[in-house]
Amino acid sequence: MAALYACTKCHQRFPFEALSQGQQLCKECRIAHPIVKCTYCRTEFQQESKTNTICKKCAQNVKLYGTPKPCQYCNIIAAFIGNKCQRCTNSEKKYGPPHSCEQCKQQCAFDRKDDRKKVDGKLLCWLCTLSYKRVLQKTKEQCKHLSSSSRASLQEKEQFSRLSTGSHYNSQKTLSTSSIQNEIPKKKAKFDAISANGDSFSPDLALDSPGTDHFVIIAQLKEEVATLKKMLHQKDQMILEKEKKITELKADLQYQESQMRAKMNQMEKTHKEVMEQLQAKNRELLKQAAALSKGKKPEKSGAITSP
């Protein structure tokens, strides 16, 4: 009986082939808790729920320091303290200032002074290294699938050729001499033309090797990946520019609102002062008018009593 292994999530026992290679998860747990990228630091983590889009480390940092800002080197929105993310800060302390990444052309690749740690001899940043390794893994899997399918098709062709040679042996026997005589001058002329041009002729060139199709497919996939990366980088740059514009507009709006509030407060204050001055002047004028009216009354009475 085959040995059974426990899933790391639901702890049910399954055969070894039914569990994932890395985290030893069953099919149901892989569907319920997929591997996703963190919204902030872009590291992969196992999603506990559909609403959970950030990893545990970033969730803790959000509680402590608030929403992060884009890193000044890699542009990843993971700068909780200062203007640099923790990954770039540690790499700068360890390896010195960053260099230009050969893939995305940003100043976020750190030279480790070790060619073995480079990806195909290229100096790449962290994000480009991950995407490059992921593409290589996918191409390897596709090559394995294509090689297995090509082997199966070759086996089918061999079986078909064996069956066909057994059934058509007599008909091929009669046509052998005439076809050979017709083919010899054609092949000779072709060989002479190739030798006259200076090209070396080898019998292997006449055969279609099954690996050439694989190389063509891999080259096409690499070109598609490069164009997709370029488009993704352009869109990321557009998103960053829009986010910067939004923050600038928010800051401008906040500044205008504060200026408007200050202006309104100043106008209210001046209006209050003017009103107080007018009220004081009005009271003074009322007093003067009362005094004048009192002075006029005795004059009128005196004028009436005199003979």
Side-chain angles (χ1 to χ4, degrees):
M1 188 176 178
L4 298 177
Y5 298 89
C7 173
T8 56
K9 198 73 181 173
C10 63
H11 303 293
Q12 294 182 7
R13 293 189 172 274
F14 298 91
F16 183 74
E17 293 81 8
L19 300 176
S20 61
Q21 293 182 0
Q23 298 182 345
Q24 299 294 308
L25 296 174
C26 64
K27 188 176 180 180
E28 292 180 358
C29 291
R30 288 199 297 271
I31 294 169
H33 305 284
I35 302 297
V36 295
K37 284 185 178 180
C38 177
T39 307
Y40 291 145
C41 65
R42 308 303 295 165
T43 53
E44 293 182 347
F45 72 100
Q46 190 176 355
Q47 193 177 27
E48 298 294 333
S49 62
K50 291 184 179 180
T51 57
N52 185 17
T53 58
I54 59 175
C55 62
K56 292 180 180 178
K57 190 175 180 181
C58 287
Q60 188 177 1
N61 286 331
V62 167
K63 289 180 182 178
L64 291 173
Y65 307 109
T67 307
K69 295 179 290 185
C71 176
Q72 67 177 10
Y73 291 152
C74 61
N75 284 327
I76 297 173
I77 306 171
F80 290 96
I81 304 170
N83 296 323
K84 290 177 281 187
C85 64
Q86 194 64 37
R87 191 181 295 110
C88 288
T89 303
N90 295 334
S91 298
E92 190 177 16
K93 287 179 183 177
K94 196 172 181 180
Y95 305 113
H99 300 275
S100 177
C101 175
E102 294 183 17
Q103 187 67 31
C104 64
K105 308 302 179 185
Q106 293 189 68
Q107 291 290 120
C108 56
F110 295 91
D111 192 2
R112 300 186 180 184
K113 310 296 182 184
D114 190 359
D115 293 334
R116 292 177 298 176
K117 294 183 179 180
K118 293 181 179 180
V119 183
D120 289 344
K122 294 180 180 180
L123 183 62
L124 302 178
C125 64
W126 180 72
L127 278 179
C128 292
T129 303
L130 287 181
S131 60
Y132 195 84
K133 287 181 179 178
R134 200 178 297 115
V135 169
L136 284 177
Q137 185 65 27
K138 284 183 181 179
T139 50
K140 283 180 183 177
E141 291 175 359
Q142 288 175 355
C143 286
K144 285 180 182 177
H145 179 68
L146 288 169
S147 61
S148 62
S149 62
S150 62
R151 285 196 199 102
S153 63
L154 284 170
Q155 288 175 359
E156 289 176 359
K157 285 179 182 178
E158 286 176 358
Q159 290 177 0
F160 181 74
S161 63
R162 285 171 189 169
L163 292 171
S164 62
T165 51
S167 61
H168 298 284
Y169 176 72
N170 294 323
S171 62
Q172 287 178 355
K173 198 172 180 182
T174 57
L175 296 171
S176 60
T177 55
S178 61
S179 62
I180 289 168
Q181 288 176 359
N182 291 326
E183 287 294 327
I184 286 170
K186 290 179 183 178
K187 288 183 178 179
K188 190 176 180 183
K190 190 176 180 181
F191 178 74
D192 292 337
I194 292 169
S195 60
N197 290 328
D199 297 327
S200 61
F201 178 80
S202 64
D204 296 332
L205 293 174
L207 299 173
D208 292 327
S209 62
T212 53
D213 294 333
H214 300 169
F215 287 119
V216 171
I217 291 166
I218 289 167
Q220 289 176 355
L221 288 171
K222 283 184 178 179
E223 288 177 0
E224 288 177 3
V225 167
T227 53
L228 287 172
K229 279 184 182 177
K230 192 174 180 181
M231 289 170 64
L232 184 63
H233 176 63
Q234 289 175 356
K235 287 186 177 180
D236 286 338
Q237 291 293 328
M238 287 171 64
I239 289 166
L240 286 171
E241 287 175 1
K242 286 181 180 178
E243 285 179 353
K244 286 179 182 177
K245 196 170 182 179
I246 287 166
T247 52
E248 288 175 359
L249 289 170
K250 282 183 179 177
D252 192 13
L253 183 64
Q254 193 173 3
Y255 175 75
Q256 287 180 1
E257 285 179 356
S258 63
Q259 290 290 323
M260 189 67 71
R261 283 197 206 95
K263 193 174 181 180
M264 286 174 68
N265 291 330
Q266 185 67 30
M267 287 173 69
E268 189 176 356
K269 189 177 178 182
T270 53
H271 181 264
K272 195 174 181 181
E273 290 175 357
V274 169
M275 285 294 292
E276 287 177 357
Q277 289 176 1
L278 289 172
Q279 285 176 359
K281 195 172 183 181
N282 192 17
R283 283 195 296 268
E284 188 177 353
L285 290 171
L286 286 171
K287 286 180 183 179
Q288 289 178 3
L292 288 170
S293 63
K294 284 179 182 179
K296 285 181 180 179
K297 283 180 181 178
E299 291 177 359
K300 286 181 179 179
S301 62
I304 291 168
T305 53
S306 60

